[in-house]
Amino acid sequence: MTETAVPHADPASGSPAGGPDGRAPKRSYAKLAADESREDYSLRYAPHSYRRWSETTVASTALGGIAYLADFAIGASIVFTYGFTSGLASILCAATIIFTTGIPIARACAKYGLDMDLITRGAGFGYFGSTLTSLIYASFTFIFFALEGSIMAQAMHEVFGLPLPIGYLVTTLIVIPIVFRGMGALAKVQAWTQPIWLIGLVLPFVILLFNSPGSFGDFTSFGGTEGAGSGFSWLGFGLGTGVALSLIAQIGEQADYLRFMPAKTEANKKRWNLAVLAAGPGWVIIGAAKQIGGALLAFVALEAVGKTHALEPIAPQVEALKPWLGSVALPVAALFVVVSQIKINVTNAYSGSLSWSNFFSRVTHRHPGRVWYIFLNLAIALTLMEMNMFAALNKLLGFYSNVGIAWIAAVAADLVINKRVGWSPKYIEFKRAYLYAVNPAGFGAMVIASVVSILAFFGLFGEYAEAFSTFIAAGLALILCPLIAWATKGRYYLARPNPVNGPDVEVEDVTATHTCTVCETAYELPDIADCPAHSGPICSLCCSLDADCGDLCTKKPTGEPVLMPMPEVRTR
């Protein structure tokens, strides 16, 4: 990051150091970091002045990102391994858990204009405690980017004979220009490609219904390819649910769009509620349908293409289209695959850049700009593709889901339980100036739940505990987060009170801007903190990047602003 060094306060006196005139020089950001049209407020509260999209536009853009075909591969893999009955039960159970935990998270992100990382900070994890979840979320984005990129490369190989290693590189590079430009470009891409994707999604099943209606009934008695049988198995159900639950962190990608939802008012509350529900947890309804549909197409294509190719979405698509499209089935299927994968991988790359930005800004106190972390995320994803991670799909996703669900369940428990009973602040406080470094309520719950469930996943507690390790993770996180908050009386949520950023400040007061003492840029009230080290207001990003203030504000907490004159604000 290119920035001017900012002298900081003497911790003993609280007075600012400065130049000849006694003033601290302005911090200047690198050009990319300072351009919010590309940054999209990547480390900040999304201000009302920037939320210029309608509820419908935000929701459709968020739902456009779930066009991915990994659902097809995941559903096929689950049913092939555990049979139809256990596989179907696994998919539906996972969808129910994802939907339930996603509701409070989606509503919080849309209401407060915050991404998943900032929500996590204030929902039981603390300022540095959420650093670990940034890594968890970043790993979700590059794992699934690699998975989706592999599927696109397979399609390019089938159509053009492009070697897979080169295809992996092409699928990585193709998304960069779109992601570089931020939310505006992503919204346009999702809107323009939606008709093609919808036709490509529905057409194979329409053809199958007309040409092979009996295959639907045959599918329900499918016993898998591993000898699991068509009946129900508790072990198969538990293991299959674990694989499907690897998608639980998808709510974070939905939140990256939901933070741009306009303010909820009496006039738009019905549209707002519906849009948040659909674009937030609602994604999993479509996702579960795609998993079941992908398993059906793979089952129908199994005899013609073999197990290996049946698990690659391009081959079942081609087989389903052949009866009507003949020789053009392959290019049509390939177009659908490429469009689908571009729609999801621009989201994976975008969300990954946000999570890496959040991680490194806290660890290094530097921020060169969100766009630079696009390249880091894509480099890791490309490495995974070249290592053929597709071959170890079930094991990789099953392991990841233990950590992912522990994180999401702990956040959901805080939002639903702790905040309602008063063990947690009623609003989301995300600014470093008011937070403890680590909050044991959410962070402790997630770590304990993850460790125990991973040990179970590797068979330490027997085969049933191994199969149900993700249930162990979810259950422990849901119980421990409120329990620890109760035991600590919620004392680790706020290092000091925030007298002007409470949950019920009127919208017209929230949207009033205040100038940051450090960067001299105006931001809306929720992004501003009271800073004794700089003797005035400071924006959340300048606060995060301050390496030498000694956290003076939290070491001497008070109930009123220390040195910063703030306006009287009305509450409703």
Side-chain angles (χ1 to χ4, degrees):
M1 167 181 172
T2 304
E3 65 181 37
T4 305
V6 179
H8 300 284
D10 177 352
S13 66
S15 61
D21 62 355
R23 291 188 63 197
K26 175 183 174 183
R27 172 182 277 123
S28 60
Y29 294 104
K31 183 177 180 180
L32 290 177
D35 183 359
E36 291 298 352
S37 67
R38 289 190 172 92
E39 278 296 285
D40 281 342
Y41 295 87
S42 58
L43 299 179
R44 301 181 183 274
Y45 155 84
H48 288 279
S49 60
Y50 192 71
R51 301 184 213 175
R52 57 183 179 269
W53 297 277
S54 68
E55 300 89 348
T56 303
T57 299
V58 174
S60 61
T61 302
L63 288 174
I66 65 164
Y68 53 85
L69 296 184
D71 270 335
F72 281 58
I74 290 170
S77 181
I78 291 172
V79 173
F80 275 30
T81 304
Y82 307 114
F84 171 80
T85 304
S86 298
L88 178 64
S90 298
I91 292 168
L92 295 179
C93 178
T96 301
I97 294 172
I98 292 171
F99 187 88
T100 304
T101 56
I103 293 173
I105 294 173
R107 291 183 65 85
C109 291
K111 178 179 179 180
Y112 295 107
L114 304 176
D115 66 17
M116 191 67 203
D117 181 82
L118 302 186
I119 287 289
T120 300
R121 288 186 199 177
F125 283 72
Y127 183 72
F128 276 106
S130 63
T131 304
L132 177 59
T133 65
S134 292
L135 284 179
I136 295 170
Y137 184 32
S139 64
F140 173 85
T141 64
F142 63 65
I143 285 172
F144 278 89
F145 187 103
L147 180 55
E148 307 297 348
S150 297
I151 292 171
M152 193 194 304
Q154 291 161 4
M156 292 179 173
H157 176 71
E158 291 293 326
V159 177
F160 304 112
L162 193 68
L164 286 176
I166 297 176
Y168 298 149
L169 179 61
V170 172
T171 62
T172 301
L173 297 177
I174 199 171
V175 304
I176 293 176
I178 303 168
V179 182
F180 190 87
R181 296 178 63 84
M183 174 67 177
L186 267 65
K188 290 178 182 177
V189 167
Q190 300 296 3
W192 293 343
T193 55
Q194 202 74 339
I196 297 174
W197 178 75
L198 286 172
I199 293 171
L201 179 68
V202 173
L203 185 58
F205 299 100
V206 173
I207 295 174
L208 198 61
L209 183 63
F210 278 92
N211 282 69
S212 184
S215 59
F216 290 87
D218 295 338
F219 179 51
T220 60
S221 59
F222 180 50
T225 58
E226 310 297 322
S230 59
F232 181 80
S233 162
W234 282 108
L235 288 176
F237 167 71
L239 291 167
T241 303
V243 174
L245 278 174
S246 63
L247 292 163
I248 196 166
Q250 176 65 32
I251 189 63
E253 295 197 344
Q254 304 307 111
D256 289 337
Y257 295 115
L258 286 171
R259 65 197 175 105
F260 297 120
M261 193 68 71
K264 182 181 178 182
T265 65
E266 281 299 315
N268 75 349
K269 67 179 182 180
K270 289 184 178 179
R271 294 193 308 274
W272 193 93
N273 286 329
L274 182 60
V276 171
L277 187 67
W283 76 266
V284 78
I285 297 174
I286 302 172
K290 285 162 57 189
Q291 289 176 34
I292 298 167
L296 170 63
L297 294 181
F299 163 72
V300 174
L302 180 60
E303 186 175 344
V305 302
K307 176 186 173 183
T308 300
H309 290 300
L311 293 174
E312 300 171 355
I314 180 65
Q317 287 283 326
V318 173
E319 291 301 312
L321 295 175
K322 274 182 178 178
W324 284 12
L325 303 184
S327 60
V328 299
L330 178 57
V332 170
L335 176 64
F336 170 65
V337 171
V338 170
V339 168
S340 298
Q341 303 316 89
I342 288 176
K343 285 171 72 68
I344 179 55
N345 267 354
V346 294
T347 298
N348 282 327
Y350 178 73
S351 295
S353 70
L354 297 182
S355 57
W356 284 120
S357 294
N358 276 297
F359 174 76
F360 281 109
S361 68
R362 274 169 290 170
V363 173
T364 67
H365 296 287
R366 300 182 71 81
H367 180 54
R370 173 190 68 82
V371 296
W372 292 107
Y373 295 114
I374 297 171
F375 300 102
L376 171 63
N377 210 52
L378 297 188
I380 298 173
L382 179 59
T383 302
L384 289 177
M385 283 189 275
E386 299 292 356
M387 292 170 60
N388 192 25
M389 64 154 285
F390 199 83
L393 182 64
N394 271 9
K395 205 68 176 174
L396 177 65
L397 298 183
F399 171 80
Y400 177 83
S401 64
N402 288 281
V403 182
I405 195 170
W407 164 37
I408 298 299
V411 172
D414 179 83
L415 296 173
V416 173
I417 301 173
N418 297 357
K419 292 193 180 305
R420 291 191 178 184
V421 300
W423 298 330
S424 171
K426 296 296 184 184
Y427 71 107
I428 304 294
E429 181 55 77
F430 69 95
K431 295 181 288 295
R432 174 191 179 188
Y434 299 103
L435 295 173
Y436 282 100
V438 175
N439 185 342
F443 182 78
M446 184 198 73
V447 170
I448 294 170
S450 297
V451 170
V452 173
S453 65
I454 288 172
L455 292 176
F457 177 77
F458 284 109
L460 189 65
F461 307 128
E463 62 176 357
Y464 276 93
E466 177 182 352
F468 287 87
S469 63
T470 50
F471 289 85
I472 294 172
L476 282 176
L478 286 170
I479 293 170
L480 288 174
C481 183
L483 185 62
I484 297 172
W486 168 79
T488 59
K489 296 181 172 57
R491 61 172 294 190
Y492 294 103
Y493 280 90
L494 292 177
R496 61 170 174 147
N498 184 347
V500 294
N501 269 194
D504 298 319
V505 176
E506 294 283 2
V507 171
E508 53 264 42
D509 292 314
V510 168
T511 56
T513 59
H514 306 270
T515 301
C516 173
T517 304
V518 180
C519 67
E520 298 179 4
T521 304
Y523 292 98
E524 290 181 6
L525 178 62
D527 203 60
I528 292 291
D530 158 48
C531 181
H534 289 284
S535 303
I538 188 170
C539 71
S540 63
L541 181 53
C542 284
C543 183
S544 291
L545 299 179
D546 201 323
D548 303 317
C549 66
D551 290 318
L552 181 65
C553 58
T554 57
K555 289 179 179 176
K556 296 181 180 179
T558 67
E560 297 296 331
V562 181
L563 296 167
M564 180 176 91
M566 292 291 287
E568 292 292 326
V569 293
R570 294 158 293 167
T571 57
R572 54 182 180 270

